[in-house]
Amino acid sequence: MLLKVCPASRKVYRSLLCCQSSAATCLGIGKSWRLQLRYRNFHHSSQRCTTMPSWVIDRYGKNDVLRFTKDMTFPIIHFPNEVIIKVHAASLNPIDVNMRNGYGAAALRMKRDPLRIKTTGSEFPLTLGRDVSGVVMECGLNVSYFKPGDEVWAAVPPWKQGTLSEFVVASGNEVSKKPRSLSHTQAASLPYVGLTTWTAVNQVGGLKQDNCSNKRILILGASGGVGTFAIQLMKAWGAHVTAVCSQDASDLVRRLGADDVVDYKSGNMQEQLKALPLFDFILDNVGGPTEKWAAGLLKKWSGATYVTLVTPFLVNVDRLGVADGMLQTGVTIGTKAIKHLCKGVHYRWAFFMPSGPFLDEITSLVDAGKVVGFEETSLSFQICCPACFQVSLRYLGTLLELCKQASLVLRFTMIHPVIDQVFSFSDVPQAFRKMEEGHARGKTVINVN
């Protein structure tokens, strides 16, 4: 059999060499096939690993389903716009705990396999984790904005393999250059919560730097990952922020810039909020009973908007199936939107949206220090990166003296990651247990590298 195949193989190989040689000659770059590959911008390596260490689950359930393996299949670039990232740090979000328990399994399975070609359970072994900060290792042919060696960050969508691995593959339009002023550990805490916040306030709520000045913003659940980022973003855009959290988190949210803080454990939270002036925008990270009364705190017939991140979409799809679940979800959002519109306010849902361009905007906020406001009685500075803050300290004495002479109030605002606790890669189960306890004060980060 080998004697019959080899002559044919030699003919094919000889013909390929001739084609390559002629093509190289036409291109004017010599007869070397390797030179031709370099001309076409292929990135190739002589050796490549086929497995990598990773934390995976083989079924849905409690924390005991987490399993460490050194034999997870190495990610492959399937599309020309994808990149492979070496993970230096990742972080956990509530959705990771929920996905481990099976939340959204039906909807995510449909997204992964819309034609239902694969069998049930084909998503396993499944890697969790959405946030990543690391270094680009390999690029698809259509990727021009990144190159191997670039430090990047991203939030990988839930239907893809996650970031609790040594390497992860992501679409180029989901990735952005990492802020220069942040370490990988700091950067890994921001992408998912940053993009969720950006989608809620900018894409859904319509808020931006140009129209946010002096607007009254209420943030329910202000001490978590989304809440802490939302406070900083709204203050950077010049809004007045009221934060609702527990008493032991009040110092944190005040340091982040919140103007008013209300303790939800005080027993009279609704009365305290009703005693304040009405709001232009409400971001609800809590859901549940708060939805029944929170919209009543908005200014009527002024374009004020209530946006919640707690929606029944994935629960409906899991419970009723794809078709009936989506129908039930459409009826629910439509009914609530019309009911609130009749009362003079807008009612919206918001979801996480992976986006490299939005991360570019967040990178600019984190890296660039600038003066964002000047009033007759106050002078406001936004110092977004620690490096800028260190430089500004040199001139702090002069600024304070000038402000004292002019009777001005000096206020600094720094956009920075809020990290509750950092775990090593070997302690991923402990990190999940920490997430399940709730009442986080920022993000739970995993150092992978």
Side-chain angles (χ1 to χ4, degrees):
M1 195 67 183
L2 286 174
L3 293 175
K4 291 182 180 179
V5 172
C6 285
S9 300
R10 283 197 295 270
K11 289 181 181 180
V12 173
Y13 184 64
R14 193 179 298 115
S15 64
L16 285 174
L17 286 178
C18 291
C19 292
Q20 292 155 3
S21 178
S22 61
T25 303
C26 292
L27 290 170
I29 58 173
K31 297 182 180 181
S32 170
W33 186 40
R34 187 177 298 273
L35 286 177
Q36 186 182 354
L37 286 178
R38 190 181 304 164
Y39 179 84
R40 296 188 64 184
N41 292 322
F42 279 96
H43 297 289
H44 65 285
S45 56
S46 57
Q47 289 184 340
R48 178 171 177 169
C49 298
T50 58
T51 60
M52 62 178 179
S54 178
W55 282 94
V56 301
I57 61 173
D58 300 304
R59 67 186 190 280
Y60 297 116
K62 299 298 182 181
N63 214 42
D64 57 351
V65 301
L66 289 167
R67 175 175 65 88
F68 177 76
T69 178
K70 293 184 178 180
D71 300 320
M72 185 63 177
T73 304
F74 197 93
I76 299 172
I77 291 179
H78 290 97
F79 300 98
N81 68 329
E82 291 182 332
V83 297
I84 294 177
I85 302 172
K86 180 174 175 57
V87 181
H88 283 236
S91 69
L92 297 183
N93 297 279
I95 191 173
D96 295 307
V97 177
N98 293 333
M99 285 179 62
R100 187 206 63 192
N101 295 333
Y103 171 74
L108 297 176
R109 191 179 300 120
M110 179 193 67
K111 179 66 177 177
R112 298 184 190 105
D113 184 25
L115 299 179
R116 298 186 179 181
I117 297 174
K118 301 177 182 178
T119 59
T120 302
S122 59
E123 67 266 32
F124 301 117
L126 178 63
T127 304
L128 302 173
R130 309 270 59 90
D131 294 301
V132 58
S133 180
V135 176
V136 174
M137 299 300 293
E138 192 169 346
C139 299
L141 294 178
N142 288 353
V143 177
S144 58
Y145 189 65
F146 305 104
K147 64 182 184 302
D150 285 346
E151 292 190 333
V152 296
W153 64 346
V156 181
W159 54 87
K160 293 185 178 181
Q161 289 286 16
T163 60
L164 296 179
S165 293
E166 187 178 11
F167 296 90
V168 67
V169 64
S171 173
N173 55 18
E174 299 165 355
V175 181
S176 174
K177 297 287 182 65
K178 180 183 76 68
R180 298 184 302 274
S181 58
L182 299 183
S183 67
H184 285 294
T185 301
Q186 293 172 318
S189 68
L190 287 179
Y192 189 87
V193 296
L195 289 173
T196 302
T197 304
W198 193 276
T199 301
V201 303
N202 180 264
Q203 299 299 296
V204 177
L207 298 180
K208 51 187 177 180
Q209 187 168 357
D210 297 339
N211 66 5
C212 204
S213 179
N214 296 322
K215 285 197 173 181
R216 291 185 54 79
I217 310 297
L218 172 62
I219 301 175
L220 301 171
S223 63
V226 172
T228 53
F229 187 87
I231 292 172
Q232 297 180 82
L233 181 62
M234 293 295 92
K235 293 305 298 179
W237 286 352
H240 181 284
V241 176
T242 299
V244 175
C245 60
S246 62
Q247 178 62 37
D248 58 351
S250 60
D251 289 340
L252 169 64
V253 298
R254 287 189 187 279
R255 288 198 303 269
L256 294 176
D259 299 284
D260 298 316
V261 180
V262 176
D263 178 14
Y264 72 88
K265 295 181 178 179
S266 62
N268 59 346
M269 175 183 64
Q270 295 186 41
E271 287 72 18
Q272 292 184 58
L273 291 174
K274 289 178 180 178
L276 298 173
L278 295 176
F279 297 94
D280 299 286
F281 180 87
I282 296 177
L283 177 61
D284 187 356
N285 301 300
V286 179
T290 59
E291 187 175 301
K292 298 178 181 179
W293 53 263
L297 303 173
L298 291 169
K299 298 176 182 177
K300 306 298 187 293
W301 308 108
S302 63
T305 305
Y306 169 89
V307 176
T308 179
L309 297 173
V310 184
T311 73
F313 171 64
L314 293 180
V315 174
N316 286 343
V317 173
D318 287 341
R319 183 171 55 92
L320 302 174
V322 175
D324 291 342
M326 294 181 70
L327 178 61
Q328 178 64 48
T329 301
V331 171
T332 301
I333 181 62
T335 302
K336 290 185 176 182
I338 293 174
K339 182 182 73 173
H340 285 82
L341 190 59
C342 293
K343 297 179 181 179
V345 298
H346 296 289
Y347 176 91
R348 299 285 187 269
W349 289 353
F351 303 89
F352 159 76
M353 181 186 301
S355 172
F358 292 166
L359 276 178
D360 289 340
E361 298 280 354
I362 296 173
T363 298
S364 300
L365 279 174
V366 173
D367 270 342
K370 57 184 178 180
V371 177
V372 297
F374 179 82
E375 300 175 5
E376 185 176 355
T377 58
S378 67
L379 183 63
S380 298
F381 287 88
Q382 175 193 356
I383 302 179
C384 298
C385 73
C388 295
F389 183 69
Q390 293 298 327
V391 173
S392 299
L393 285 178
R394 304 175 190 173
Y395 308 101
L396 185 58
T398 304
L399 286 172
L400 290 175
E401 183 62 30
L402 290 174
C403 291
K404 182 178 180 181
Q405 294 175 6
S407 299
L408 297 177
V409 177
L410 188 64
R411 179 169 56 88
F412 290 102
T413 302
M414 179 186 291
I415 294 182
H416 65 281
V418 180
I419 298 175
D420 189 9
Q421 191 169 349
V422 179
F423 291 85
S424 66
F425 193 48
S426 60
D427 293 330
V428 166
Q430 289 91 314
F432 270 86
R433 279 195 289 270
K434 177 73 169 65
M435 283 292 300
E436 286 186 287
E437 292 173 0
H439 306 289
R441 304 292 177 259
K443 290 296 294 294
T444 300
V445 179
I446 311 293
N447 271 333
V448 178
N449 188 20

